[in-house]
Amino acid sequence: MEDECPYPDEVVTFYCATGRAVFYLRDQKWFYHYDGTPLAYLHNNQYVVSFSGRYLGWVHNGSVYSFLDGTCAFFTKYSSGGPSRPSRQSRPSRGSRQSRPSRSSKESRPSKPSRKSSWSANSDESFFPDYE
């Protein structure tokens, strides 16, 4: 059974380790870069999955943690716990949203590594391998 979406039904901004707004969640489901590129989607209200089917991270207490090593990749204004967060910088204007690609079959979900209270080295666009 799917849990309730961890974010309210509004556009939610995600910030990197330096406080820069990198992407946003729309309709409690779709992640978009601020340039309008679709990046990923929220699966089962918990997992960040690329359109190519790769599990990238999971949501915990409002933040996104990386499946690579359990480090925190992004935070929101709803985040609690985790590494200390920098001040949030102003959000850029949102570009026109591009059409979403079709979703590929999901890979097998990896085991979650232990959460760490440190920032991911991929706390930027590099978190999304399909982003060009």
Side-chain angles (χ1 to χ4, degrees):
M1 182 171 115
E2 291 185 15
D3 294 328
E4 187 175 310
C5 184
Y7 303 107
D9 191 13
E10 63 184 47
V11 174
V12 177
T13 301
F14 287 77
Y15 300 88
C16 68
T18 63
R20 180 175 60 91
V22 178
F23 63 98
Y24 62 93
L25 177 70
R26 183 175 171 87
D27 302 326
Q28 297 182 316
K29 179 81 173 176
W30 310 107
F31 295 104
Y32 287 92
H33 189 275
Y34 273 93
D35 67 8
T37 303
L39 298 171
Y41 61 96
L42 189 61
H43 175 65
N44 285 348
N45 293 319
Q46 182 177 357
Y47 301 105
V48 179
V49 180
S50 70
F51 287 101
S52 63
R54 183 173 169 195
Y55 281 84
L56 304 175
W58 76 94
V59 175
H60 180 77
N61 288 344
S63 296
V64 172
Y65 286 81
S66 173
F67 266 117
L68 292 176
D69 58 7
T71 54
C72 187
F74 302 100
F75 72 96
T76 67
K77 68 181 183 179
Y78 302 104
S79 295
S80 62
S84 63
R85 293 179 293 280
S87 298
R88 292 179 287 166
Q89 299 172 18
S90 59
R91 296 182 308 260
S93 300
R94 290 189 299 234
S96 298
R97 285 188 319 275
Q98 300 168 20
S99 58
R100 292 185 301 265
S102 19
R103 294 187 270 181
S104 299
S105 298
K106 288 185 291 303
E107 298 175 347
S108 296
R109 187 177 71 229
S111 298
K112 288 182 189 175
S114 298
R115 272 190 331 276
K116 297 181 176 78
S117 286
S118 57
W119 286 103
S120 171
N122 294 331
S123 182
D124 58 16
E125 288 81 357
S126 67
F127 183 81
F128 302 96
D130 301 334
Y131 180 72
E132 298 175 4

